[in-house]
Amino acid sequence: MRDIELIERVQGSERLAMNLYRPIEAGPRAFRFKVYRAGMPIALSRSLPMLEHLGVRVDEERPYLIEAVGATPAWIHDFGLELADDAEFDIERLKDLFEDAFAQVWTGAIESDDFNRLVLRAQLSAREVTILRAYAKYLRQVGSTFSDAYIERAVTGNPAIARMLVELFIARFDPTLGGTRETRVDSLQKTIDSALDQVPNLDEDRILRQFLGVIKATQRTNYYLFDAEGKPKPYLSFKFNPAQMPGLPEPKPMFEIWVYSPRVEGVHLRGGRMARGGLRWSDRREDFRTEVLGLMKAQMVKNVVIVPVGSKGGFVVKNPPPQSERDAWRREGIACYQTFLRGLLDLTDNLAGTTVVPPRDVVRHDPDDPYLVVAADKGTATFSDYANAISQEYGFWLDDAFASGGSVGYDHKKMAITARRVGVGEAALSRNGRRHADNGLHRGRHRRHVRRRVRQRHAALAAYPPRGRVRSSAYFLDPNPDPATSLAERGRLFLLDRSSWADYDPSLISAGGGVFPRTAKTIPLSPAVQLVLGISAAALSPAELMRAILQAPVDLLYNGGIGTYVKATRETHLQVGDRANDAIRVNGADLRCKVVAEGGNLGPTQGPYRIRAARRPHQYRCNRQLGGCGLLGS
């Protein structure tokens, strides 16, 4: 009768019904788990890893197909399970926790990893386990030397401490505790400190103390916020005081917000209470916080003429569709961007006139903080309207001034803010530095890129794609373009909603050039291209070609700000902190250009630059690490 009841529950839906039970004749560590589904059966390749991550061993599976008149056929999967640990457990107490955790993993509401062992080992709910998982993902971004798997083993191997860490988090942020909060927090911290002293493994002790430190540095969380239907939000966000964070790399921002979900992870760093900076769609999954930290450092200098200090944010899409499916890929990026913004605004105070209004059900351990603005950046140049819509959804006091750009402000892309800024510097350097440079890649009427000789105005065009970006999905080589024709065609591509070098009209490419796909293992080089790049190789791999473009004998090397491509000879790739471009990066001493123009941020590291004198605000003399080039700062 119970089977029939649960089969009827899943009729006409993709939902699952479950029943964790122990047969009368089963041993103390054995039990069974039935999963009910209408329509298609559940693949073992999907269900077995979920169960094993929950800390059980699957001994057998008995599938049953139930066909009833007038109803969708249903499947019952009856799994024979055994605890992976020696300890017994109370099935009645853990039944609901186990079933809920499996259901949430199935729907993608939580990730399937070994943190889920804490459901049985520490008797934590799936959502409570997500607290520790979110902190673990943050610790990896700030430079933890331990792998994800090792961190998971350290936490799940000490379930009592893991449970106490969650209890400490709840004690700090449960809005219903009121006056008992401080006493409860102090008691838990003493208990945790005593328990940590008993951990025999030094690495596990370090990892658990990192969790304790980051929980204590947390100032706000949206854990107790719910949506309009009364359900928990599908993401977590934490606001930190970096000054209290143990082992955080310098420079430390004044404020930091971390947003986590199975779909997206993001971080926002602010150098002060009033700070401005963009949010970028990063492709550096493993170390995007390192990227954002370096960009925030640059913003701290650049923004002094706008607001007191700078900020920067970045997010990564964790499960993107294939980039060949452009519309789906973009939709997922927009959805993740919106989740990231909601995570930020969940923790940000609002203003009603001059009165600060804290977020509802958010316990604050820091002063009022109502100032948060964002701007467009790499990958989000056309997203400002989405950001302003989120601002209006929250009734945020800045309304459509929350994000610069979009339909009610200036368009970051159309105005080419970054290229114009560098173009002004290039023009000034031309007047004072004996070199001619037109303004911007798109606007240059006489510019041919990858310039060969001074008297021949800009003698070729070569471009390579930023890693992971749809808009530049091919390698483009045009050794002797006509400037006017090239300008017109680049302008046509610029106005397309989405475009790549593959959309360039091949009939307009000069002899010896071409467009080559990202998937090419080698790229043939014509004599004309060899001449422009100053090399003799007849073919190069993609990484070798990109290095050749960086080291081409040109007047101007223009960086668009997608990665860090130039380092000092004395620096290692590990010190640069941009693993995605390690195979491409060159030493500054190997550049053969006259001028380096920073169209974005972080193209070269700071290592090659040792500023000796500045005759003009835009013109600097640099050391030999950059081959004596002039530097145009963005």
Side-chain angles (χ1 to χ4, degrees):
M1 293 299 295
R2 179 61 172 163
D3 288 339
I4 294 173
E5 178 187 355
L6 294 175
I7 288 172
E8 291 178 342
R9 185 181 299 177
V10 299
Q11 285 294 312
S13 73
E14 287 294 319
R15 294 185 299 109
L16 302 180
M18 288 153 287
N19 183 25
L20 183 71
Y21 68 100
R22 173 177 284 160
I24 295 175
E25 70 278 7
R29 297 176 61 240
F31 53 99
R32 301 195 71 85
F33 181 52
K34 286 185 178 180
V35 182
Y36 306 80
R37 188 188 187 194
M40 299 297 294
I42 297 175
L44 287 177
S45 60
R46 184 176 179 187
S47 58
L48 262 60
M50 295 180 184
L51 292 168
E52 290 172 348
H53 282 313
L54 281 163
V56 297
R57 183 169 60 248
V58 182
D59 294 330
E60 62 169 337
E61 187 250 1
R62 303 173 185 172
Y64 302 95
L65 173 62
I66 310 299
E67 294 179 306
V69 176
T72 304
W75 286 88
I76 301 177
H77 298 270
D78 191 0
F79 297 94
L81 306 181
E82 187 173 356
L83 280 177
D85 302 319
D86 294 333
E88 297 184 22
F89 75 105
D90 185 348
I91 191 170
E92 294 303 322
R93 187 170 68 251
L94 294 174
K95 173 181 170 66
D96 290 341
L97 291 178
F98 187 91
E99 292 176 1
D100 175 66
F102 185 88
Q104 291 203 49
V105 173
W106 175 264
T107 61
I110 67 171
E111 295 191 63
S112 183
D113 57 28
D114 279 349
F115 274 109
N116 291 331
R117 293 174 179 265
L118 293 170
V119 172
L120 296 182
R121 290 187 178 184
Q123 300 181 21
L124 296 174
S125 70
R127 191 157 183 262
E128 290 171 335
V129 171
T130 300
I131 296 171
L132 297 177
R133 181 182 291 111
Y135 278 127
K137 299 296 184 182
Y138 174 75
L139 290 174
R140 286 286 289 144
Q141 286 293 327
V142 299
S144 173
T145 57
F146 303 105
S147 67
D148 290 335
Y150 197 87
I151 293 174
E152 291 167 8
R153 287 199 299 271
V155 176
T156 58
N158 295 274
I161 295 177
R163 181 172 182 82
M164 286 188 285
L165 290 172
V166 171
E167 290 174 350
L168 175 62
F169 176 87
I170 291 172
R172 282 176 55 82
F173 295 106
D174 187 344
T176 66
L177 286 183
T180 64
R181 187 185 317 281
E182 187 174 346
T183 302
R184 176 67 174 155
V185 168
D186 289 343
S187 174
L188 280 168
Q189 287 189 176
K190 291 177 182 178
T191 305
I192 293 171
D193 288 338
S194 177
L196 287 173
D197 290 338
Q198 306 304 314
V199 175
N201 185 290
L202 182 59
D203 284 346
E204 292 183 359
D205 179 85
R206 288 175 58 194
I207 291 170
L208 294 169
R209 289 185 188 277
Q210 284 182 320
F211 275 87
L212 176 61
V214 78
I215 290 173
K216 291 167 65 175
T218 305
Q219 306 297 295
R220 307 183 185 192
T221 180
N222 73 338
Y223 183 77
Y224 289 96
L225 298 184
F226 299 87
D227 61 21
E229 299 178 357
K231 297 179 181 179
K233 297 205 171 186
Y235 55 90
L236 279 179
S237 57
F238 307 126
K239 182 180 181 182
F240 302 122
N241 180 352
Q244 300 177 6
M245 198 84 69
L248 198 68
E250 297 289 349
K252 293 184 178 182
M254 181 177 286
F255 304 103
E256 180 164 357
I257 296 179
W258 171 252
V259 179
Y260 163 83
S261 85
R263 292 176 69 182
V264 60
E265 291 173 14
V267 68
H268 187 261
L269 311 179
R270 266 194 300 152
R273 294 195 176 277
M274 294 185 65
R276 178 197 172 278
L279 305 182
R280 69 171 34 201
W281 181 350
S282 176
D283 49 30
R284 289 171 55 170
R285 172 74 180 271
E286 297 293 325
D287 65 340
F288 67 89
R289 187 189 180 275
T290 300
E291 175 189 30
V292 172
L293 180 65
L295 294 167
M296 185 212 71
K297 186 177 179 182
Q299 291 290 108
M300 295 289 285
V301 178
K302 291 164 56 177
N303 272 1
V304 294
V305 297
I306 308 171
V307 294
V309 289
S311 66
K312 208 70 175 181
F315 68 97
V316 291
V317 178
K318 298 170 67 173
N319 303 294
Q323 291 192 18
S324 57
E325 301 176 13
R326 292 189 178 185
D327 290 337
W329 188 84
R330 177 180 168 84
R331 284 196 300 270
E332 180 65 10
I334 292 171
C336 290
Y337 176 71
Q338 292 170 320
T339 296
F340 182 38
L341 288 167
R342 290 188 175 99
L344 300 180
L345 287 176
D346 279 349
L347 306 184
T348 303
D349 296 327
N350 206 347
L351 285 177
T354 58
T355 303
V356 175
V357 181
R360 178 179 53 84
D361 292 332
V362 172
V363 175
R364 304 183 302 162
H365 295 278
D366 62 333
D368 295 342
D369 186 19
Y371 190 84
L372 179 67
V373 295
V374 299
D377 205 295
K378 187 193 79 170
T380 63
T382 60
F383 288 4
S384 293
D385 281 345
Y386 298 112
N388 286 329
I390 299 294
S391 173
Q392 293 168 335
E393 171 190 322
Y394 277 69
F396 192 53
W397 67 278
L398 282 171
D399 196 59
D400 60 17
F402 175 58
S404 58
S407 58
V408 293
Y410 69 85
D411 190 302
H412 185 276
K413 174 187 173 184
K414 289 181 180 178
M415 292 184 67
I417 298 298
T418 301
R420 285 174 182 263
R421 180 175 63 232
V422 176
V424 171
E426 292 177 9
L429 186 64
S430 300
R431 291 191 299 269
N432 298 282
R434 303 166 300 283
R435 286 286 181 269
H436 178 83
D438 273 321
N439 184 9
L441 292 178
H442 167 52
R443 295 174 58 85
R445 297 184 180 278
H446 303 289
R447 172 178 289 184
R448 296 180 182 177
H449 302 98
V450 186
R451 176 171 154 180
R452 173 63 178 163
R453 290 184 295 275
V454 174
R455 294 190 181 184
Q456 182 183 356
R457 289 181 53 145
H458 312 292
L461 176 64
Y464 59 82
R467 295 182 64 87
R469 310 310 297 162
V470 166
R471 292 186 61 84
S472 297
S473 57
Y475 301 94
F476 180 85
L477 296 172
D478 192 356
N480 189 30
D482 175 73
T485 303
S486 176
L487 174 66
E489 179 63 3
R490 298 199 307 274
R492 183 185 69 83
L493 299 187
F494 182 83
L495 295 175
L496 294 178
D497 183 43
R498 290 181 304 277
S499 64
S500 74
W501 284 117
D503 298 311
Y504 199 97
D505 185 350
S507 67
L508 303 179
I509 300 176
S510 59
V515 178
F516 304 91
R518 278 292 303 263
T519 55
K521 292 184 178 180
T522 60
I523 298 172
L525 304 181
S526 66
V529 172
Q530 295 174 33
L531 177 65
V532 166
L533 297 180
I535 58 176
S536 58
L540 293 175
S541 69
E544 292 170 335
L545 173 62
M546 288 187 272
R547 287 199 300 270
I549 293 173
L550 287 168
Q551 298 175 80
V554 298
D555 284 334
L556 173 67
L557 172 63
Y558 182 96
N559 169 60
I562 306 300
T564 304
Y565 299 117
V566 182
K567 69 176 183 66
T569 305
R570 63 179 179 275
E571 289 180 304
T572 65
H573 292 295
L574 183 63
Q575 290 173 315
V576 172
D578 178 14
R579 284 177 283 181
N581 290 301
D582 283 354
I584 305 167
R585 194 172 301 110
V586 300
N587 292 328
D590 296 328
L591 296 181
R592 292 185 284 177
C593 59
K594 302 295 190 301
V595 176
V596 175
E598 274 274 34
N601 298 305
L602 306 182
T605 67
Q606 290 187 338
Y609 302 142
R610 186 171 70 246
I611 298 172
R612 295 174 174 173
R615 292 179 293 173
R616 298 286 189 274
H618 56 270
Q619 184 178 358
Y620 303 94
R621 292 173 57 203
C622 301
N623 69 356
R624 292 180 182 177
Q625 289 286 345
L626 202 51
C629 300
L631 166 65
L632 294 174
S634 62

